[in-house]
Amino acid sequence: MNTEAQVEVREVTTKRDLERFIRFPLSLYAHNPLYSPQLNRDMRVHFSSRNPFVRDNEVTYFLAVREGAVVGRVASILNPDHLRLHNEKTGFFGFFESINDPAVAAALLQRAAGELRGKGMETLRGPMSFSTNEECGFLLEGFSDPPMLMTPYNYPYYNDLATGFGMEKSKDLYAFIYDFKTELPDKVTRVAALAEQRGVTVRPVEKRRFMADMGVFREIYNAAWEKNWGFLPLSEDELEYSAGRLKPLAVPELTLIAEREGEPIGFLGLIPDFNSVLRHMHGALTPVTLLKALYYSRKITALRLLLYGIKAEYRNRGVDALLFKKGFDAILKSGYRTIEFSWILEDNMPVIRIAELFGARLYKKYRIYEKKIAL
C-alpha cells in the first residue's frame, strides 16, 4: 500500500460499510495474541438502533480508506444527557482504530471533530465507546497483560497519534490486579463483622429474577456515582440491553446486593473474564468456535470487578468490606486466581484505597484525551 496516497474518510451508510467497520480490527490485530475481539454478531447489534444508546443519541460512524483498503475507523458521539448534566459543550469520539500513520489518525479525528463542531460542540473528548458506562480511554501502561472483559486494548502508538493530533490528557483511569490469597486482610474481616452487627445483610442475585435485581443495581449505581467525573445515568432501556448481554456470564454467588432493613444500599459484581475465551474465537460464531468456547470457558481463572457501588449515606460503614467478604467466600470454592479492580478514576481515592487494602497493585493505566475544536 502506498502510504503517501490520499486518505478518504467516508461515513458508514450501508450494511457493507458497517461490516467493514466491524471487521477492520480483526485484520489490524491479526498477529497480536492479546487482542480479544467481541463476536461480530454481537457487534452488529451493538452498532445498530437495537442498542438503546445508539437509538437515543447522535452516533455517526466513519471509515478511513486508502487505495480501496480500510486503514482506520472512528465514531462521533453526541450525548444530550452529558450536555445537560455536565453543562459543557463536549462531544466524543469512540471505537477508534488506525494503522500507525499520523495522517490517517488526523483525518479520522478531524472528521469526528468537524461532525461535532457542526452540532455546536466546543471540545472533542475520548475515546469513549460509547460512554463512561462502557470502554473508555486508550491503554497507556500495561501492554504486556491481556485485556479483561469490557476493557480497552490498543497498540502503544495510539497515544502518539492522539497527542500528534494536538490532544491533551483529560483523565487517567486505573486498573489494579489482585492475586488471590486464601485469607482476606484482617482489617477487611473486622470491618465486615461490624457492618453485620449494624444490620447489613448480603444476598446473591437470582437468575430467575435477574432483570429485577439488575434494576436494583441501576438504582444504586445512579445514586452512588452521580457526582463522579463524566458520570452518565443508566436508563432503563440501557440497563435492559446491558443486563441481557451480561446475564449469560454472571455468576449469582459473585453478584451481590447489600441491604439494610430491606433497602438496597450496595452492589458488587465480579464477572468471569470471558476475554480469555474470545481470544480463541476471533470474532466468529461457528461450530468450531463454539466448541472452543465450551473448552476454554472451563479454564477461566480471572474475574473483573465490573459492577460496584454503595449509596453515599452508607459509605465508611463497612458495606464494601462485607460485600467483598461474601464474594471472597464464594471465590474460595471456585478456583479463580486473580481479580481486576477496574476502571477507577485516578482521583477516586476511596476506591483506590479499597484496592490497596487488599494488596492489589496498579498494573494498567488508560488515558482519555480532549481537544478544543471550536473555531
Side-chain angles (χ1 to χ4, degrees):
M1 182 186 300
N2 180 6
T3 57
E4 296 182 359
Q6 185 175 0
V7 179
E8 176 192 359
V9 178
R10 61 178 68 157
E11 182 178 343
V12 170
T13 58
T14 67
K15 287 184 178 180
R16 180 176 180 272
D17 286 344
L18 183 60
E19 196 67 18
R20 297 177 84 188
F21 187 93
I22 290 169
R23 290 180 178 273
F24 172 65
L26 295 174
S27 60
L28 185 66
Y29 295 94
H31 303 294
N32 189 315
L34 300 185
Y35 183 63
S36 310
Q38 301 295 304
L39 295 176
N40 296 332
R41 179 198 64 177
D42 293 344
M43 290 296 94
R44 293 182 192 110
V45 174
H46 198 55
F47 291 133
S48 77
S49 59
R50 286 179 284 176
N51 178 346
F53 187 95
V54 175
R55 185 185 66 227
D56 298 336
N57 296 278
E58 297 181 41
V59 180
T60 308
Y61 308 116
F62 299 100
L63 289 172
V65 179
R66 177 185 276 153
E67 295 185 325
V70 175
V71 290
R73 73 176 197 182
V74 76
S76 70
I77 303 160
L78 191 149
N79 186 310
D81 282 344
H82 181 92
L83 305 182
R84 175 176 54 83
L85 288 171
H86 297 279
N87 194 30
E88 59 178 11
K89 295 181 179 180
T90 297
F92 300 90
F93 74 92
F95 303 101
F96 176 91
E97 303 285 0
S98 173
I99 63 171
N100 189 6
D101 186 331
V104 173
L108 285 165
L109 293 170
Q110 191 61 52
R111 183 63 182 271
E115 180 78 10
L116 294 164
R117 187 188 303 114
K119 297 175 180 178
M121 297 300 100
E122 298 176 352
T123 301
L124 175 68
R125 184 179 296 157
M128 302 278 192
S129 305
F130 285 103
S131 71
T132 51
N133 294 324
E134 300 184 52
E135 294 184 11
C136 300
F138 286 143
L139 182 63
L140 182 69
E141 296 179 13
F143 291 96
S144 61
D145 293 290
M148 290 208 187
L149 185 70
M150 295 179 66
T151 64
Y153 183 80
N154 51 263
Y155 288 116
Y157 67 76
Y158 276 39
N159 295 281
D160 296 328
L161 295 178
T163 56
F165 183 65
M167 305 199 82
E168 298 178 345
K169 172 187 170 180
S170 179
K171 186 72 72 171
D172 280 355
L173 314 174
Y174 291 170
F176 289 79
I177 197 75
Y178 172 65
D179 298 318
F180 198 73
K181 301 174 178 61
T182 56
E183 292 183 358
L184 282 171
D186 288 342
K187 184 176 180 180
V188 175
T189 304
R190 290 197 309 271
V191 174
L194 289 173
E196 286 188 299
Q197 291 170 16
R198 294 168 180 154
V200 179
T201 59
V202 171
R203 67 171 177 87
V205 302
E206 301 178 41
K207 276 294 182 87
R208 62 183 177 84
R209 59 188 307 271
F210 185 78
M211 295 306 298
D213 278 343
M214 291 304 293
V216 171
F217 163 72
R218 174 176 173 266
E219 173 195 340
I220 295 169
Y221 176 81
N222 286 347
W225 298 107
E226 63 177 347
K227 298 186 185 301
N228 267 34
W229 179 89
F231 168 78
L232 277 179
L234 276 172
S235 70
E236 289 188 17
D237 286 347
E238 286 174 317
L239 174 80
E240 183 176 353
Y241 172 75
S242 298
R245 299 176 73 197
L246 284 176
K247 185 176 180 180
L249 309 179
V251 179
E253 58 268 27
L254 298 176
T255 313
L256 306 172
I257 298 172
E259 298 173 330
R260 188 174 186 274
E261 297 179 351
E263 177 193 357
I265 60 174
F267 198 103
L268 180 146
L270 293 160
I271 306 298
D273 178 31
F274 201 71
N275 269 9
S276 62
V277 177
L278 292 172
R279 281 191 285 277
H280 298 278
M281 299 181 74
H282 307 292
L285 193 61
T286 67
V288 172
T289 59
L290 279 172
L291 288 174
K292 288 183 177 181
L294 289 171
Y295 176 77
Y296 286 105
S297 62
R298 300 189 185 102
K299 296 180 175 293
I300 297 174
T301 60
L303 298 164
R304 182 186 172 209
L305 178 58
L306 177 64
L307 310 174
Y308 176 71
I310 296 170
K311 290 182 178 178
E313 61 269 33
Y314 289 98
R315 291 172 191 161
N316 303 314
R317 297 190 184 184
V319 178
D320 49 1
L322 184 57
L323 281 165
F324 282 111
K325 167 96 173 41
K326 297 297 184 182
F328 187 92
D329 292 343
I331 292 169
L332 276 176
K333 306 171 185 176
S334 66
Y336 295 106
R337 296 199 294 268
T338 56
I339 300 173
E340 181 181 280
F341 296 73
S342 70
W343 51 260
I344 303 171
L345 290 168
E346 62 179 329
D347 48 7
N348 190 341
M349 295 312 300
V351 179
I352 289 174
R353 289 191 188 102
I354 291 172
E356 292 175 341
L357 176 63
F358 280 82
R361 58 185 173 85
L362 176 63
Y363 88 126
K364 288 186 180 182
K365 292 182 182 179
Y366 308 93
R367 178 158 293 176
I368 297 169
Y369 292 89
E370 64 179 51
K371 179 181 180 178
K372 296 298 181 184
I373 58 173
L375 295 175

